């Protein structure tokens, strides 16, 4: 149980285009989902926290207009990188947490999405 | 400011040998401490989780210890295997009314050589 998936696992896009990354909780309802970014040889850095049906809360220094987060259902959150630039190339990881049930209060991580902007 | 520091930054050991990774933290109020294994290009996978009252927890060849007084934790890997090559991340949770807030260490990159 407690499986979180991400799609796509890797994506290459041209500079100036937008790319959407999906995060799904497969066997539980995730009231909260988190988006992280990880640069090579560095640890995960929290970008934003999203609660189902509410606007996401962004960490300091993260541009909310550039990284659009939608959490419209209890099993799906999306991160859209708008007008991507090469410096946005990174490994994006989501995690999901339920507030009730056997998976409550634990964050379960997805496998990550490698984004390369050319 | 909540911080988690890990040492060493990287480590190379021979297959079959044991090793110990260290984690020091300044996180308050403390909720729990987790060790994760992250393979290259993959998401973190939980190895152990310990609360304030737990001193040690094992998961197969992985044994984690916690000293809440000195705010130190260690992860001991016994009889290492090539598949243990990965980054090991110490994550400490601070208790918040809205749910725990995680502070990540920078990780220890372990390479196991044949």
């Amino acid at each position: 149980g407690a499986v979180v998936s991400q799609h796509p696992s890797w994506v290459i896009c041209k500079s100036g285009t937008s790319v959407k990354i999906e995060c799904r909780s497969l066997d539980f309802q995730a009231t909260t989902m988190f988006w992280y970014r990880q640069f090579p040889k560095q640890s995960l850095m929290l970008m934003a926290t999203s609660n189902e049906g509410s606007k996401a809360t962004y960490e300091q220094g993260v541009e909310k207009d550039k990284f659009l987060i939608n959490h419209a259902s209890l099993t799906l959150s999306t991160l859209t990188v708008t007008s991507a630039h090469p410096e946005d190339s990174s490994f994006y990881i989501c995690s999901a947490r339920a507030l009730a049930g056997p998976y409550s209060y634990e964050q379960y991580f997805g496998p990550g999405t490698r984004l390369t902007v050319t | 400011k909540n911080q988690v520091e890990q040492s060493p930054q990287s480590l190379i050991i021979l297959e079959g040998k044991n090793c110990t990774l260290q984690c020091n933290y300044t996180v308050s109020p403390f909720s729990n401490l987790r060790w994760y294994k992250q393979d290259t290009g993959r998401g973190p996978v939980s190895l152990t989780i310990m609360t304030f009252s737990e001193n040690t927890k094992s998961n197969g060849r992985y044994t984690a210890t916690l000293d809440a007084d000195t705010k130190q934790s260690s992860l001991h890997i016994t009889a290492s295997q090539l598949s243990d090559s990965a980054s090991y991340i110490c994550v400490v949770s601070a208790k918040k009314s809205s749910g725990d807030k995680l502070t990540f260490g920078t990780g220890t990159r372990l390479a196991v050589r044949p």
Side-chain angles (χ1 to χ4, degrees):
Chain A
V3 178
V4 176
S5 69
Q6 284 185 238
H7 178 81
S9 56
W10 61 272
V11 58
I12 301 174
C13 70
K14 292 187 176 182
S15 186
T17 62
S18 296
V19 61
K20 180 184 288 187
I21 302 170
E22 294 185 349
C23 176
R24 294 180 184 273
S25 57
L26 299 186
D27 49 5
F28 67 101
Q29 293 185 323
T31 49
T32 306
M33 286 186 170
F34 305 83
W35 286 96
Y36 295 86
R37 181 166 52 182
Q38 185 178 32
F39 292 106
K41 298 186 179 181
Q42 295 185 23
S43 194
L44 283 71
M45 293 181 60
L46 181 64
M47 298 175 65
T49 301
S50 74
N51 292 301
E52 186 266 336
S54 302
K55 287 185 177 180
T57 301
Y58 291 80
E59 295 298 302
Q60 191 172 10
V62 178
E63 300 175 60
K64 62 179 181 181
D65 294 329
K66 181 170 183 60
F67 298 99
L68 302 179
I69 292 173
N70 183 282
H71 190 171
S73 79
L74 287 172
T75 59
L76 173 65
S77 175
T78 60
L79 168 68
T80 301
V81 183
T82 63
S83 186
H85 291 285
E87 56 265 30
D88 298 324
S89 298
S90 187
F91 193 53
Y92 292 86
I93 303 175
C94 73
S95 69
R97 183 180 73 195
L99 282 181
Y103 307 123
S104 60
Y105 293 103
E106 179 69 54
Q107 283 191 36
Y108 296 92
F109 289 87
T113 296
R114 171 73 59 192
L115 170 64
T116 300
V117 184
T118 60
Chain B
K1 180 182 177 182
N2 290 338
Q3 286 187 314
V4 176
E5 295 182 351
Q6 292 186 241
S7 62
Q9 191 173 32
S10 62
L11 181 63
I12 300 174
I13 62 173
L14 293 177
E15 185 179 13
K17 297 297 185 181
N18 304 334
C19 67
T20 301
L21 315 180
Q22 301 291 340
C23 173
N24 296 335
Y25 63 91
T26 53
V27 174
S28 181
F30 177 85
S31 178
N32 57 65
L33 184 146
R34 300 171 169 89
W35 282 94
Y36 286 91
K37 178 186 179 186
Q38 185 180 22
D39 293 311
T40 302
R42 305 291 295 174
V45 175
S46 180
L47 295 175
T48 64
I49 177 171
M50 289 182 292
T51 58
F52 184 87
S53 59
E54 295 176 296
N55 300 119
T56 184
K57 183 165 283 189
S58 292
N59 178 2
R61 294 180 296 103
Y62 301 103
T63 299
T65 65
L66 173 65
D67 186 334
D69 291 331
T70 61
K71 299 186 178 180
Q72 296 179 325
S73 176
S74 66
L75 180 69
H76 187 75
I77 304 175
T78 304
S80 60
Q81 300 176 358
L82 298 179
S83 59
D84 292 333
S85 296
S87 285
Y88 292 84
I89 305 172
C90 175
V91 182
V92 183
S93 294
K95 194 180 295 292
K96 303 288 184 184
S97 57
S98 57
D100 287 0
K101 184 171 178 64
L102 306 185
T103 301
F104 289 78
T106 53
T108 292
R109 295 171 66 87
L110 175 66
V112 181
R113 302 288 187 231

